[in-house]
Amino acid sequence: MADVLALVEARLRTALGEPDARAAVTFLGTDRIEVLRFHDGDVVRYATLGMSAQPMADPTAVVADPLRGPRAELVLSVRGGRADTDKVLRPLAVLAASPQVEGLIVAPGASLDTGEPLWPGAPFTSVLVAESGGLVEDLELDEPMDPVRFLPLLPMTPNEAAWKRVQGAEALQERWLRNGTDLRDPMRSGVPLG
């Protein structure tokens, strides 16, 4: 069985180029999570590496299956130079560790909350998990393992997060689209929800 994280990093490099920085965070009782930073013109992308080492397990399961179950890494894209977005490394690592720490299964449509601004002065404390397959293609693994999905994260203001809880992820994404919201703007204001 190939080393999953080596394959994941190779897929990230193929899709995003060479990382220009990387940081590692280890939380008590969890595997190490790295965050890689990639530059693409004026866009900075942060990708986790380590979340997919183990499949996400159903928290109600008596024993976690070491092979089967969804696997994912998180990808955040923001415009560079408008905020100190490099401080997102720790919050991203916290989100990537949440399946191990809290038994969460991170899937498209989910909200993940950090409880603090994603970076200094950020109007966002949570993210919406978007569908995989766009920027970084899913990575197929040997049977019986599930593929690794690279899930984009879309920062949400507290009002957007509250509205999403009531109206749903699809409604919020439609609202963003209708208003031409630049989801990569690290200091954008919330979309009108009235």
Side-chain angles (χ1 to χ4, degrees), residues 82-185:
R82 298 210 49 215
D84 188 8
T85 56
D86 280 351
K87 296 285 195 293
V88 78
L89 299 177
R90 185 165 178 76
L92 259 185
V94 168
L95 295 178
S98 62
Q100 287 183 59
V101 175
E102 299 171 39
L104 291 179
I105 294 184
V106 177
S111 300
L112 302 175
D113 197 313
T114 61
E116 61 186 26
L118 294 178
W119 49 82
F124 320 107
T125 59
S126 62
V127 293
L128 174 64
V129 181
E131 290 287 342
S132 67
L135 185 64
V136 184
E137 258 184 67
D138 293 348
L139 174 64
E140 296 294 331
L141 298 174
D142 295 337
E143 289 290 334
M145 294 188 286
D146 289 22
V148 176
R149 304 203 185 289
F150 297 88
L151 301 171
L153 300 180
L154 308 174
M156 294 187 291
T157 66
N159 284 347
E160 289 170 340
W163 196 82
K164 181 255 174 197
R165 276 192 293 279
V166 174
Q167 303 293 330
E170 195 174 310
L172 179 58
Q173 289 178 300
E174 286 172 12
R175 181 68 56 119
W176 282 335
L177 195 59
R178 208 167 39 243
N179 284 276
T181 306
D182 180 3
L183 296 173
R184 293 181 180 166
D185 181 348

Side-chain angles (χ1 to χ4, degrees), residues 3-9 11-12 48-56 69-75 132-133 136-142 145-151:
D3 179 10
V4 171
L5 294 184
L7 295 171
V8 167
E9 184 167 354
R11 175 60 52 95
L12 286 168
T48 63
L49 179 63
M51 183 177 170
S52 63
Q54 304 295 325
M56 292 181 267
R71 294 176 190 257
E73 296 291 352
L74 308 175
V75 181
S132 67
V136 184
E137 258 184 67
D138 293 348
L139 174 64
E140 296 294 331
L141 298 174
D142 295 337
M145 294 188 286
D146 289 22
V148 176
R149 304 203 185 289
F150 297 88
L151 301 171

Side-chain angles (χ1 to χ4, degrees), residues 37-88:
R37 183 181 69 191
F38 302 86
H39 275 90
D40 180 13
D42 71 335
V43 175
V44 183
R45 301 188 199 285
Y46 301 93
T48 63
L49 179 63
M51 183 177 170
S52 63
Q54 304 295 325
M56 292 181 267
D58 180 343
T60 62
V62 177
V63 178
D65 188 319
L67 295 176
R68 291 177 186 82
R71 294 176 190 257
E73 296 291 352
L74 308 175
V75 181
L76 174 71
S77 300
V78 292
R79 296 208 184 288
R82 298 210 49 215
D84 188 8
T85 56
D86 280 351
K87 296 285 195 293
V88 78

Side-chain angles (χ1 to χ4, degrees), residues 15 26-27 34 60 71 90 96 187:
T26 305
F27 303 100
E34 288 189 87
T60 62
R71 294 176 190 257
R90 185 165 178 76
M187 300 306 287

